[in-house]
Amino acid sequence: MPYKAIREIGEFGLIDKIAALAEPTLQAVPELLKGIGDDCAIYQPSGKLLQVATTDLLVDQVHFDLLTTPLNHLGSKAISVNVSDICAMNAFPRFALVSIAIPPSFSTEMVEELYKGMSHAAKEYGLAIAGGDTSSSRSGLIISVTIMGEVEPEKLTKRNGAKPGELICVTGSLGGAAAGLKLLMREKAIMLDHFENNEPYNKSVMADLKEYSEAIQCQLLPTARLDIVRFLHSRNICPTSMIDISDGLSSELHHICRQSNTGALIHESRIPISASTRRVADELQDDAITWALTGGEEYQLLFTIPKEEYELIDDYKEISVIGEVTDPDSGVFLSDIYGMRIDLATIRGFDHFGR
Ligand SMILES: Nc1ncnc2c1ncn2[C@@H]1O[C@H](COP(=O)(O)OP(=O)(O)O)[C@@H](O)[C@H]1O
Ligand SMILES: Cc1ncc(C[n+]2csc(CCOP(=O)(O)OP(=O)(O)O)c2C)c(N)n1
Ligand SMILES: [Mg+2]
């Protein structure tokens, strides 16, 4: 079946298709009085709740590579990385505005595939796709998502409330997204090599990626930890500080410490790293702890709670206590498996303009 060029239906024909795909997300949000179709989306904020807003860009060749990324996964990830920021405030996402700049190589079906992923993720998180903007792009695909969320004022969690003596907690496991990215880049290099040598495409030269599905899923299809926000609310736990891990554990811990005016000591042996991430690191002769500290794109939550609240999280396997908050003069340190202290100021994470 030939693909339909976007020029055949034009900008407004494309927006109609996008609106149809966004439609099922509207049901979960009755406060949204108008979604796609007017000059603005119209939202009726609920009474006493505070509103939070976040935005993140996804740019071709910076955040994704279309050779290794299915478009529906990319759509889902664009929603999830923003929901993750809402979760980091201990808040709930309500609606999203999605803007895309589309390169000339894209067909109507490719845009639809992207929105199928967004719409699916939005439904999972109970948020509506309420509007956006569409442009052509003279270079690669660019996706910008803005999400509004809500939270009761007393539950709002910022980066700046950690105090010495408190526990540092992290959700899920770390390092998987970096492992997935390394594997995908390895497979891409093999594929390009093959094409360059004019060899016919042959699936058998590629690794069987099924055996790496956990790491690849962490990279291509991360989930924001809205389940953790629900858990925290259900147990009436209000972290004193919280951040999501987009740039690596080390960077995010520094953000909490800088904004809370504290130090921190975390323990290498307590950093949760899955067996499959360790296996990939061994295979690629790389270091899973470095991935956890600097890899980023985990979309797990890093937060602090008073020691007395330990028993409230103790039985929950999705949360690991990895260390404690210290005085500001103590710096931000990792105690390695031999008890040696490593200054985490020397191990920073992802930086768009980093050397
Ligand atoms: N171009 C920009 N203009 C205004 N504010 C920005 C810009 N880029 C980032 N920020 C703000 O700087 C802070 C840190 O951004 P970032 O590191 O991207 O956070 P996150 O990891 O939560 O996405 C956020 O409050 C964000 O809104
Ligand atoms: C093609 C490609 N190159 C590199 C990466 C790795 N990468 C891209 S952005 C990023 C960090 C997170 O992105 P950022 O824009 O800093 O998110 P924010 O902190 O604003 O949430 C990482 C590790 C990737 N996923 N794909
Ligand atoms: Mg950001």
Side-chain angles (χ1 to χ4, degrees), residues 168-207:
I168 300 171
C169 305
V170 72
T171 64
S173 62
L174 302 181
L181 183 61
K182 296 261 167 166
L183 287 167
L184 289 169
M185 291 301 120
R186 180 181 74 173
E187 297 308 305
K188 179 187 161 185
I190 294 170
M191 192 163 61
L192 290 181
D193 231 32
H194 226 61
F195 286 145
E196 254 168 39
N197 297 331
N198 272 334
E199 288 155 354
Y201 177 68
N202 177 354
K203 241 186 155 180
S204 67
V205 295
M206 315 281 284

Side-chain angles (χ1 to χ4, degrees), residues 54 77-88 91 93 121-122 125 127 145 147 224-226 244:
T54 185
K77 182 167 175 174
I79 295 292
S80 292
V81 304
N82 278 275
V83 171
S84 180
D85 281 316
I86 300 282
C87 291
Y125 298 123
L127 76 97
V145 177
I147 296 190
R225 300 310 304 258
L226 194 56
D244 70 319

Side-chain angles (χ1 to χ4, degrees), residues 111-187:
V111 178
E112 287 183 298
E113 208 45 38
L114 186 70
Y115 271 83
K116 279 181 194 162
M118 285 196 211
S119 183
H120 180 83
K123 280 197 86 179
E124 294 286 307
Y125 298 123
L127 76 97
I129 295 177
D133 193 29
T134 304
S135 163
S136 57
S137 165
R138 298 290 159 88
S139 52
L141 176 68
I142 299 174
I143 309 170
S144 163
V145 177
T146 300
I147 296 190
M148 303 290 298
E150 287 177 343
V151 61
E152 292 152 19
E154 63 280 10
K155 300 271 184 194
L156 180 79
T157 307
K158 299 193 285 187
R159 295 177 176 180
N160 67 359
K163 283 170 212 68
E166 289 182 345
L167 302 174
I168 300 171
C169 305
V170 72
T171 64
S173 62
L174 302 181
L181 183 61
K182 296 261 167 166
L183 287 167
L184 289 169
M185 291 301 120
R186 180 181 74 173
E187 297 308 305

Side-chain angles (χ1 to χ4, degrees), residues 58 63-82 109-122 125 141 143 145 184 209 213-224 297 299:
L58 293 189
H63 295 89
F64 58 85
D65 186 319
L66 289 174
L67 268 182
T68 58
T69 311
L71 283 163
N72 60 344
H73 287 20
L74 182 60
S76 174
K77 182 167 175 174
I79 295 292
S80 292
V81 304
N82 278 275
E109 289 80 356
M110 289 166 84
V111 178
E112 287 183 298
E113 208 45 38
L114 186 70
Y115 271 83
K116 279 181 194 162
M118 285 196 211
S119 183
H120 180 83
Y125 298 123
L141 176 68
I143 309 170
V145 177
L184 289 169
L209 293 180
S213 60
E214 188 183 310
I216 288 174
Q217 179 151 353
C218 286
Q219 170 58 224
L220 295 182
L221 206 53
T223 335
E297 295 185 291
Y299 305 107

Side-chain angles (χ1 to χ4, degrees), residues 313-331:
I313 55 149
D314 179 32
D315 62 332
Y316 198 58
K317 67 171 179 23
E318 283 299 303
I319 298 176
S320 311
V321 176
I322 60 167
E324 67 178 56
V325 183
T326 57
D327 304 325
D329 304 337
S330 312

